[in-house]
Amino acid sequence: MSGENSKKSGEIGEKLASALLEKIGWQHQIHNISISCNNSSHINASGNQKKSHGDDIVYIYNNPFHDETTVVVHISVKNKSKGYPKTATAISKEFKEHIEELKELIQCAKYNPEINSFLNAFGAKVNVKHIGVLVWLHNDKDSLDRNILPTIAKSRLNLDGDTPYYVIDSGRASFLLKVINDLSNKSNGNYQFYYPKIGTYILVDSDRKGKFLPIELISSDIITAVVDVDGKNKFYLYSREGFDELTCKNMIAYALNFSAGLVNEIYVGFPDYNPTQDDIIVKQVNFSFKERSEKIQVFSYNESILNLFQG
């Protein structure tokens, strides 16, 4: 019975992860590739070399932050039916196991003929970079926003090589979904994510906008986008951090810097901004940017009746 529950939980996790990734623009996902094991150090529970690794989801994209770079994302999906482990020690233990499994998979996937055939069909750039993403979700509706990233950040991992690993936990997944839903409501789907100049992309004619979120923005606590309303662009910045005077000032500064004078209207979203109580703080912060001509408005992307106060 426990095996059936585990299988069902895994199926739920893959469905949730796939739907979330589609929401952030990761279309054309490749599902459930069996990767032959070619490393004698990969040992199974019986002490023998593993025969294969299961690549749950693979996604390929050209990196908008770095010239001539194609990214191969190997996504391992884990799902807990009753919530994350209660203690930090248990969370860290499971996390290490999941990352070790993902590390071994990527070590073999780099040489997999099927992965290489997908890269050829995609038209990969000169530089190909493999990365690992652990999507670790759970199904306890009372703690869906739980953030375990501070806990797992303290874990000491034994990782060799230069492969980077990223984690999407339930809390970050919730943040991403709230941002996408808010953007969709404000634009009728007519929006693009904005890619700040944070990498090494030097081509003058490179487009700073796109329909998908690269991993650098997925793992960030700031997401930026451009919304087209009747042919007029508006710049949106979403902060995962809670609202206070200093954070508000910093986020407005980031938005002005990122938008680089390309728009006249800037909107900065927080999860907990209360327009009936916090508007005086925003007015005070705006004095720091009184020389700028852009219209700046702060809002909450957590929908409630308080949003009606802003009209």
Side-chain angles (χ1 to χ4, degrees):
M1 190 68 177
S2 60
E4 291 181 8
N5 290 337
S6 178
K7 182 175 183 293
K8 182 178 180 181
S9 179
E11 292 172 349
I12 291 172
E14 288 199 32
K15 186 173 182 179
L16 290 174
S18 181
L20 174 68
L21 296 174
E22 286 186 4
K23 285 274 191 181
I24 60 176
W26 287 29
Q27 308 294 330
H28 309 295
Q29 302 167 23
I30 307 163
H31 289 260
N32 299 317
I33 301 179
S34 180
I35 305 293
S36 297
C37 183
N38 53 39
N39 192 316
S40 59
S41 67
H42 298 170
I43 304 302
N44 60 22
S46 301
N48 301 315
Q49 180 181 343
K50 294 181 178 179
K51 294 182 178 180
S52 64
H53 308 276
D55 217 342
D56 294 333
I57 304 174
V58 175
Y59 180 65
I60 302 172
Y61 68 89
N62 290 328
N63 194 318
F65 296 116
H66 301 283
D67 290 319
E68 294 298 314
T69 301
T70 295
V71 180
V72 185
V73 190
H74 301 273
I75 303 155
S76 176
V77 181
K78 303 297 180 183
N79 187 54
K80 304 285 289 186
S81 61
K82 298 181 180 180
Y84 294 125
K86 302 300 181 183
T87 68
T89 300
I91 289 174
S92 181
K93 181 177 181 296
E94 282 198 37
F95 170 66
K96 289 178 181 179
E97 293 171 354
H98 296 333
I99 291 297
E100 179 65 26
E101 179 183 311
L102 185 55
K103 181 189 78 171
E104 291 186 355
L105 182 153
I106 294 175
Q107 287 175 340
C108 294
K110 289 180 178 180
Y111 307 101
N112 181 265
E114 191 171 359
I115 295 292
N116 289 328
S117 69
F118 281 118
L119 280 169
N120 290 331
F122 181 81
K125 302 291 186 179
V126 174
N127 302 310
V128 175
K129 184 176 183 179
H130 293 258
I131 69 172
V133 173
L134 171 62
V135 181
W136 192 6
L137 307 176
H138 70 81
N139 310 142
D140 177 20
K141 64 182 180 64
D142 294 326
S143 60
L144 287 177
D145 288 340
R146 184 181 178 189
N147 179 9
I148 62 170
L149 297 184
T151 300
I152 63 179
K154 300 175 184 177
S155 303
R156 294 186 177 182
L157 301 176
N158 182 25
L159 298 174
D160 50 7
D162 57 357
T163 301
Y165 297 87
Y166 302 85
V167 180
I168 300 175
D169 68 344
S170 186
R172 184 166 299 280
S174 181
F175 168 60
L176 292 170
L177 190 58
K178 289 175 183 177
V179 169
I180 300 305
N181 287 341
D182 190 77
L183 279 171
S184 298
N185 291 337
K186 286 180 166 61
S187 67
N188 292 321
N190 193 15
Y191 67 87
Q192 287 184 294
F193 298 109
Y194 183 81
Y195 310 140
K197 295 181 180 179
I198 60 175
T200 60
Y201 212 104
I202 59 176
L203 298 179
V204 176
D205 60 349
S206 62
D207 192 355
R208 307 306 310 172
K209 302 186 297 296
K211 299 297 289 185
F212 78 100
L213 275 177
I215 193 64
E216 289 86 349
L217 294 184
I218 293 172
S219 60
S220 169
D221 286 340
I222 296 174
I223 293 178
T224 49
V226 174
V227 171
D228 186 328
V229 179
D230 298 327
K232 183 178 180 181
N233 283 335
K234 299 180 179 182
F235 188 87
Y236 279 78
L237 182 148
Y238 292 84
S239 169
R240 193 180 179 190
E241 290 188 54
F243 177 87
D244 60 33
E245 183 175 355
L246 179 58
T247 305
C248 180
K249 186 175 182 179
N250 288 340
M251 295 304 154
I252 290 176
Y254 291 149
L256 288 168
N257 181 51
F258 292 160
S259 61
L262 298 177
V263 297
N264 294 320
E265 296 184 31
I266 292 175
Y267 297 82
V268 179
F270 293 92
D272 57 350
Y273 173 69
N274 184 336
T276 67
Q277 298 176 2
D278 300 329
D279 60 322
I280 187 65
I281 297 176
V282 175
K283 290 177 181 178
Q284 292 170 349
V285 168
N286 275 332
F287 280 124
S288 301
F289 308 98
K290 59 182 180 296
E291 304 302 323
R292 299 297 296 257
S293 61
E294 294 92 340
K295 172 188 173 184
I296 302 171
Q297 183 170 322
V298 175
F299 68 99
S300 171
Y301 53 82
N302 279 330
E303 190 71 23
S304 75
I305 193 172
L306 296 178
N307 294 68
L308 299 178
F309 184 76
Q310 294 179 283

